[in-house]
Amino acid sequence: QVQLVESGGGLVQPGGSLRLSCAASGFTLDYYAMSWFRQAPGKEREGVSCISSTDGTTRYADSVKGRFTISRDNAKNTVYLEMNSLKPEDTAVYYCAARSGKSCLYDLSYWGQGTQVTVSS
């Protein structure tokens, strides 16, 4: 059974940091690009970041460039999203997703259940 489980969300003050994890089971991350998305209340889901499984090429939304870092540990079958200098507008449910191939251009195949990130003083 394919499963993606996010963790690491929570309440943090503006300017703070969080590290989200996405643990995969039922398949091997080595062969798949992985993405993070987020959805704030009343807004559409937006892509945050992606990392390929070929050469580790990464992509970021303009809104998070320079603040967020995506990484993967294939040995642990886990993808991470390090979030620094958090802003209230980063508040959202964050989802990880596996693409159907090694590149970030492939379609999305599997989704996690999401983890809430709230940035507030």
Side-chain angles (χ1 to χ4, degrees):
Q1 180 183 358
V2 172
Q3 201 171 16
L4 294 171
V5 179
E6 301 96 333
S7 61
L11 173 64
V12 63
Q13 292 186 341
S17 298
L18 282 175
R19 187 174 83 152
L20 305 183
S21 299
C22 172
S25 60
F27 71 106
T28 303
L29 281 185
D30 302 45
Y31 305 109
Y32 301 96
M34 296 295 295
S35 290
W36 285 95
F37 288 78
R38 67 185 181 185
Q39 188 166 22
K43 294 188 177 181
E44 293 186 355
R45 187 173 295 185
E46 66 168 336
V48 174
S49 185
C50 183
I51 184 167
S52 74
S53 67
T54 50
D55 57 3
T57 300
T58 57
R59 296 185 176 190
Y60 297 94
D62 288 342
S63 57
V64 306
K65 277 181 183 176
R67 300 188 299 121
F68 289 12
T69 303
I70 189 171
S71 61
R72 61 194 298 152
D73 186 338
N74 289 341
K76 294 183 178 180
N77 229 29
T78 300
V79 177
Y80 304 97
L81 186 68
E82 183 77 32
M83 306 186 295
N84 298 313
S85 302
L86 283 162
K87 306 175 181 179
E89 51 263 44
D90 294 319
T91 295
V93 177
Y94 284 71
Y95 302 87
C96 71
R99 296 196 176 262
S100 58
K102 297 184 176 183
S103 161
C104 291
L105 299 177
Y106 279 83
D107 292 337
L108 295 159
S109 292
Y110 306 112
W111 290 86
Q113 83 291 347
T115 185
Q116 176 70 47
V117 171
T118 303
V119 185
S120 175
S121 55

